[in-house]
Amino acid sequence: MFTSFPHSDCRLSSSKQDWLPWSLLLLSLTCDTGAFYVPGVAPINFHQNDPVEIKAVKLTSSRTQLPYEYYSLPFCQPSKITYKAENLGEVLRGDRIVNTPFQVLMNSEKKCEVLCSQSNKPVTLTVEQSRLVAERITEDYYVHLIADNLPVATRLELYSNREGDDKKKEKDVQFEHGYRLGFTDVNKIYLHNHLSFILYYHREDLEEDREHTYRVVRFEVIPQSIRLEDLKADEKSSCTLPEGTNSSPQEIDPTKENQLYFTYSVHWEESDIKWASRWDTYLTMSDVQIHWFSIINSVVVVFFLSGILSMIIIRTLRKDIANYNKEDDIVRGLGWGGMDLEREGSWEDTMEESGWKLVHGDVFRPPQYPMILSSLLGSGIQLFCMILIVIFVAMLGMLSPSSRGALMTTACFLFMFMGVFGGFSAGRLYRTLKGHRWKKGAFCTATLYPGVVFGICFVLNCFIWGKHSSGAPGLRGLWSLMVRCLQVPFPTMVALLCMWFGISLPLVYLGYYFGFRKQPYDNPVRTNQIPRQIPEQRWYMNRFVGILMAGILPFGAMFIELFFIFSAIWENQFYYLFGFLFLVFIILVVSCSQISIVMVYFQLCAEDYRWWWRNFLVSGGSAFYVLVYAIFYFVNKLDIVEFIPSLLYFGYTALMVLSFWLLTGTIGFYAAYMFVRKIYAAVKID
């Protein structure tokens, strides 16, 4: 069985098994949007008048960032409510997929049908229900439905040629995910109570004797607000829509009861779009040219600057090592007793010019708090392995948006299973730093970073649960509140705890045990017993200044991609350019590594051998710029004014910044560690 993911205009041949993985990689990076097949869910074939089930996913708003389940509002309900079994990713995203009373048949038109109509009577909303609906409308909530796993979209037609004549203006068609619950006009609130569904199907070519089958390839909706008096309903649940624009919208007065009809219509259209390309409509993004230009510009600038830095530091290092080894050879030939003052002065001048050799007896001196440092670096290795695998697999199309929650589920489980690699690297580094309490170190590695993440999430969800409670509810009331507000339900948090202590913790201990037993890293020089005195440092060697300088280049490589990621997270957009993201991730690794090497070289030349913690902090300097950008995005892009949504935004942003700091800090630390070992192994030291 196969599913499609829009990624390339090329088609793959199954007969070339040897070059298939490389072809997928090349296609993901270079080809334009199209489709190819990867393992997943098979397409569903419908016959004439087969039922096409319409399901509800959730209600979302970029203003509040609080998703709600569909039936938290007084929508019409079917006779039996059935929730779909969600995976972990869907629960964490806030999805609660549930059936709805919409009756849709394949290629069967419906002009107007009334929902939840009893003996031709309208629905009456109580004062409390009216107040709740009005509140959700003013908070700009969107309703998300799906048909055959395709999300509903609202068509927006924009004019791209503004300067020309009206006849020459071209319409730029874009799609908005979901549909607006309602709208406000002159301090009045109106509800979209009529939905005009437009479904597109592709007719499959079959043999002459067989019945035609259809596949759903697009799902659109036109929401309308029609007041009760303008809708004419009969006893058969049919209704008549008003003609033209003579009708008035359905107002919701939050101070009294409101009567209205919930209605819908269904229209089918044939489409040339094949099932393999049906997601192209939803993944169309605006400003594509700007996106391409920014990505290419970042690639060129980063590689250019990285090349310059590499040339400078390699030439300087070659000169330093050649001078050091030359002076050592002369000293051995003449002997210390026979060295003249001129030769001694020349040697001292060389050492003063580049003083990183002077600290050879202290450069590998273990830092303070080696257990915490190794634990953070172990968590960084976990993050690095998880992110690398997730982006690579998603780039191949195996985590497409059609597989709901697959991306987040894969990320969670991969982080748990990557604990064995994080524990191994942390254990070996801890032993290299002369650590002895490996059991405590393993526990610290398994609980430090995950504990902070879990603690922040738990506190944020406590605020969410409390936001919707009036007074002090009982146990049943608290449970209903947890279910209504769909951030992370309490049972899901318990399941995550079980995964943490049942999967991640044992794997970290296992990896830490073997890493601690393995031979420690071989440092090329011995450490003196008495620490060397560190001279007074210049102002630009300050730690915060180093963070500012080191974070610019990696952040410049990714800030455009960061905008699209933020839009996907906070504005309910689809993110699918994982080929670009993989390329940006590689550039990020290269730039972090080279900047870290440059910063540790300058620090050692200043005869400051305390590079362990400083390099880890400075290498993650781009996380500071991510925080600044998140504040800028909050102020300029989002319309969040309430306390709880603001707390949610900055709470989860803090988790993103912390994770990004661990990731980039770990990359920079290991690059600097390999660099330091390499340069001190290249000089002759007695």
Side-chain angles (χ1 to χ4, degrees), residues 370-371 373-385 418-433 441-442 445 507-521 666 669-670 673:
M371 183 183 295
L373 178 63
S374 60
S375 298
L376 292 175
L377 290 169
S379 297
I381 292 293
Q382 270 186 273
L383 280 172
F384 177 80
C385 295
M418 292 300 107
V420 65
F421 297 104
F424 180 86
S425 59
R428 190 177 184 189
L429 181 63
Y430 182 58
R431 184 175 181 183
T432 304
L433 299 179
T445 304
L507 288 178
V508 170
Y509 263 90
L510 180 66
Y512 208 99
Y513 172 76
F514 285 103
F516 192 78
R517 289 189 59 185
K518 191 174 178 61
Q519 188 72 18
Y521 294 111
T666 301
F669 176 86
Y670 277 101
Y673 189 30

Side-chain angles (χ1 to χ4, degrees), residues 459-670:
V459 171
L460 291 178
N461 280 275
C462 286
F463 277 98
I464 295 172
W465 298 333
K467 180 179 184 296
H468 300 273
S469 61
S470 55
L475 183 60
R476 179 177 297 179
L478 181 61
W479 179 265
S480 64
L481 292 172
M482 294 177 186
V483 174
R484 279 182 60 201
C485 186
L486 304 177
Q487 203 63 17
V488 180
F490 187 74
T492 305
M493 300 195 77
V494 174
L496 290 174
L497 271 177
C498 295
M499 290 173 57
W500 178 13
F501 289 102
I503 299 177
S504 181
L505 186 67
L507 288 178
V508 170
Y509 263 90
L510 180 66
Y512 208 99
Y513 172 76
F514 285 103
F516 192 78
R517 289 189 59 185
K518 191 174 178 61
Q519 188 72 18
Y521 294 111
D522 184 21
N523 296 326
V525 293
R526 295 188 300 270
T527 302
N528 297 334
Q529 293 183 352
I530 302 176
R532 178 186 177 86
Q533 185 177 1
I534 300 174
E536 185 178 355
Q537 301 294 306
R538 296 184 178 272
W539 65 270
Y540 54 80
M541 296 303 296
N542 181 272
R543 185 172 299 174
F544 184 71
V545 176
I547 289 175
L548 293 179
M549 292 190 299
I552 294 177
L553 188 61
F555 178 76
M558 55 161 288
F559 81 96
I560 293 296
E561 209 65 27
L562 193 65
F563 168 77
F564 290 96
I565 294 175
F566 269 55
S567 298
I569 295 175
W570 302 113
E571 298 187 44
N572 300 305
Q573 303 293 325
F574 287 115
Y575 185 85
Y576 72 102
L577 297 175
F578 290 102
F580 283 121
L581 188 61
F582 183 78
L583 185 62
V584 169
F585 183 73
I586 298 300
I587 297 173
L588 179 68
V589 172
V590 173
S591 58
C592 282
S593 302
Q594 294 192 344
I595 287 295
S596 173
I597 290 171
V598 171
M599 298 302 292
V600 77
Y601 175 74
F602 287 156
Q603 182 179 355
L604 295 179
C605 287
E607 301 179 24
D608 185 359
Y609 55 83
R610 299 171 301 182
W611 64 274
W612 303 87
W613 274 106
R614 187 180 189 275
N615 185 262
F616 180 53
L617 295 173
V618 168
S619 299
S622 53
F624 172 76
Y625 290 96
V626 172
L627 176 61
V628 174
Y629 181 80
I631 297 174
F632 168 81
Y633 190 89
F634 177 83
V635 173
N636 291 277
K637 299 295 183 180
L638 298 179
D639 189 21
I640 298 177
V641 293
E642 297 183 6
F643 172 72
I644 296 297
S646 301
L647 183 67
L648 273 179
Y649 178 86
F650 286 106
Y652 288 124
T653 297
L655 290 181
M656 293 172 58
V657 171
L658 173 64
S659 303
F660 192 74
W661 169 63
L662 277 180
L663 174 67
T664 53
T666 301
I667 294 170
F669 176 86
Y670 277 101

Side-chain angles (χ1 to χ4, degrees), residues 215-261:
R215 292 177 180 177
V216 180
V217 295
R218 187 184 296 179
F219 182 26
E220 297 179 16
V221 65
I222 301 177
Q224 296 175 265
S225 181
I226 305 175
R227 66 177 180 177
L228 177 65
E229 292 77 10
D230 294 334
L231 279 171
K232 299 178 181 179
D234 56 26
E235 296 181 354
K236 297 181 180 180
S237 297
S238 298
C239 56
T240 303
L241 295 175
E243 297 180 358
T245 59
N246 298 326
S247 65
S248 300
Q250 174 65 52
E251 182 182 355
I252 300 296
D253 189 345
T255 62
K256 65 178 184 180
E257 293 184 348
N258 293 270
Q259 289 189 333
L260 70 156
Y261 282 120

Side-chain angles (χ1 to χ4, degrees), residues 54-72:
I54 306 294
K55 297 181 179 180
V57 181
K58 58 183 174 181
L59 310 174
T60 63
S61 171
S62 59
R63 290 188 59 186
T64 66
Q65 300 298 329
L66 295 173
Y68 290 89
E69 68 168 311
Y70 181 72
Y71 290 121
S72 63

